[in-house]
Amino acid sequence: MKAGEVRQRETSGAGGLTGRLTEVALREQRALAADPNNAEALVGMSLVALASRQTEAAVKMAAAAVASASPDAHLRGAAWVALGEALRAAGRGEEAERAYQQAIGMDGMDALARLGLGELRIGAGRAEEAALEFELALRRQPSLAAAH
């Protein structure tokens, strides 16, 4: 096998993910061009930034999503969860915890926020508290067990 073939194989596996991220980013950028305060698109761009390991950009976009989100509990909760994820990835655990706490109880976001809190607890060496958060998340949304 030639070096060029190896390189092509190595990049083709990641290319699917990179291509999908690019696709999502372009879609969200179009939405933001039409409405710079589109909270759903800001959440999407925050997740794209996280997947690209651009944590500070993810924090900035998720914070903008929280500020822009309508009173709709589901969208507002998604923005808080995205902010929690971005802050956790940036190593800002206390702020991430506050963001997850904001999401708890919002329409459909409780389980995702509890998963994030559980991950924070694991990282802090607080396994018993993490187990409680994971249990609460699974109780709220049993389908999460299949995803992990």
Side-chain angles (χ1 to χ4, degrees), residues 40 69-80 106-107 109:
E40 188 173 345
S70 67
D72 171 74
H74 184 74
L75 181 55
R76 197 163 195 71
W80 280 111
M106 293 192 175
D107 182 35
M109 291 299 119

Side-chain angles (χ1 to χ4, degrees), residues 75-113:
L75 181 55
R76 197 163 195 71
W80 280 111
V81 169
L83 182 57
E85 291 294 303
L87 289 165
R88 183 167 58 93
R92 295 162 57 182
E94 289 180 17
E95 292 172 85
E97 183 168 349
R98 287 192 295 274
Y100 289 133
Q101 291 292 350
Q102 288 292 323
I104 289 177
M106 293 192 175
D107 182 35
M109 291 299 119
D110 187 62
L112 294 175

Side-chain angles (χ1 to χ4, degrees), residues 22-45:
T22 301
E23 207 176 289
V24 171
L26 290 172
R27 182 186 67 224
E28 303 302 7
Q29 287 171 349
R30 283 192 296 273
L32 289 169
D35 176 8
N37 295 316
N38 181 325
E40 188 173 345
L42 287 164
V43 167
M45 286 301 294

Side-chain angles (χ1 to χ4, degrees), residues 120-146:
L120 279 174
R121 305 287 190 262
I122 290 282
R126 296 162 41 198
E128 287 182 24
E129 292 176 46
L132 176 62
E133 294 298 345
F134 293 143
E135 182 181 322
L136 290 169
L138 288 172
R139 199 177 300 158
R140 177 84 165 114
Q141 193 173 339
S143 63
L144 290 172

